[in-house]
Amino acid sequence: MRLPGKLVPEALKTLGKDSATIRYPEQSRSMPDRFRGRVAFDPDGCTGCGMCERHCAADAIVVEADGSEISWRYDESACMFCGQCGESCPTDVITMSEEYDLASSDPASFETTHTFER
Ligand code: SF4
Ligand code: SF4
């Protein structure tokens, strides 16, 4: 434990310096380049191949085809943010976003479904 006599000089050293903390959630930090937040998906280039589903160790992605209609479903509550789905996607339509503010009391908000024709 530090003695109060050492704390005072340490505190004085911080005078005039910017705060080390931010007023979250009013303020947010920008994330480093390789940060992996919520999975982002662009249905425009998706072929429905299912590689993302097959390589997801958390079963967080389900790809289903019904004729020409493709359904791509992502469960954020199961996701480990490993980035493997983006690595496996042959058309690069999955990326890891900078979104980290994911808490919610509504379980339905964790599921995202895209339905589109191919
Ligand atoms: S980031 Fe990892 S856990 Fe999340 S959906 Fe992609 S492969 Fe699955
Ligand atoms: S791997 Fe890419 S192209 Fe294939 S189903 Fe997933 S998102 Fe679509």
Side-chain angles (χ1 to χ4, degrees):
M1 192 175 124
R2 288 174 184 243
L3 298 172
K6 289 188 178 180
L7 283 177
V8 173
E10 293 248 350
L12 289 175
K13 275 193 237 167
T14 67
L15 284 179
K17 288 189 177 171
D18 285 342
S19 171
T21 57
I22 58 169
R23 296 189 68 80
Y24 179 84
E26 292 84 12
Q27 296 175 305
S28 58
R29 291 197 188 282
S30 59
M31 293 293 108
D33 287 346
R34 298 177 65 196
F35 180 79
R36 296 193 301 255
R38 184 201 308 261
V39 164
F41 171 68
D42 177 7
D44 281 350
C46 177
T47 61
C49 68
M51 289 296 278
C52 50
E53 175 183 349
R54 246 172 281 157
H55 290 182
C56 175
D59 294 333
I61 296 179
V62 176
V63 184
E64 288 172 328
D66 182 7
S68 61
E69 187 177 276
I70 292 170
S71 160
W72 186 94
R73 208 162 59 244
Y74 167 57
D75 180 1
E76 184 184 299
S77 66
C79 181
M80 309 182 286
F81 309 100
C82 65
Q84 183 58 55
C85 49
E87 295 290 326
S88 300
C89 177
T91 55
D92 295 331
V93 294
I94 296 180
T95 51
M96 303 306 287
S97 75
E98 290 188 357
E99 282 183 68
Y100 62 87
D101 194 357
L102 310 178
S104 171
S105 57
D106 176 13
S109 71
F110 296 124
E111 291 227 353
T112 308
T113 302
H114 294 269
T115 306
F116 49 94
E117 298 277 329
R118 277 296 166 272

